[in-house]
Amino acid sequence: MNGTLGFLEEVVNHKEGVQSSTIAAALSCEPRGIGRRLIDVNAVLKSFGFKFENVYDNSKRLAEGGRVYIPKQDAAAALEAVKRKTGSG
């Protein structure tokens, strides 16, 4: 749950997108391990009734910087739901 919270905070706070290195730090993993951690994040989002397709977009890639995670329409609502559950907000 804390990884999901950190992930969502980074995504929501970077409207123009956030690079994978920052996401890896938020998820406490190496950049190559993001995929496995995102499976957990997506499971948490699903448990709150959110589809990850409506929360973030990670289809954009930088030439040498890896993926960029861009918030979508449900990102702020998902962050608030996770904050309420964890008592962080």
Side-chain angles (χ1 to χ4, degrees):
M1 188 71 71
N2 288 330
T4 301
L5 179 62
F7 171 80
L8 289 171
E9 286 176 336
E10 290 298 338
V11 169
V12 169
N13 289 324
H14 293 92
K15 302 288 185 212
E16 71 287 345
V18 60
Q19 292 185 359
S20 58
S21 57
T22 304
I23 293 299
L27 294 173
S28 301
C29 67
E30 295 295 319
R32 291 183 145 294
I34 290 175
R36 287 187 177 148
R37 297 293 175 105
L38 283 180
I39 291 170
D40 296 335
V41 167
N42 293 339
V44 170
L45 291 173
K46 186 176 181 180
S47 74
F48 282 97
F50 294 99
K51 294 182 179 180
F52 78 90
E53 298 94 349
N54 296 329
V55 175
Y56 67 93
D57 177 11
N58 65 342
S59 61
K60 182 178 178 185
R61 288 175 95 37
L62 297 178
E64 294 187 26
R67 291 193 185 279
V68 175
Y69 295 79
I70 301 169
K72 293 184 87 178
Q73 69 267 16
D74 290 346
L79 175 59
E80 290 308 313
V82 172
K83 278 184 175 181
R84 281 192 305 273
K85 179 70 172 184
T86 62
S88 299

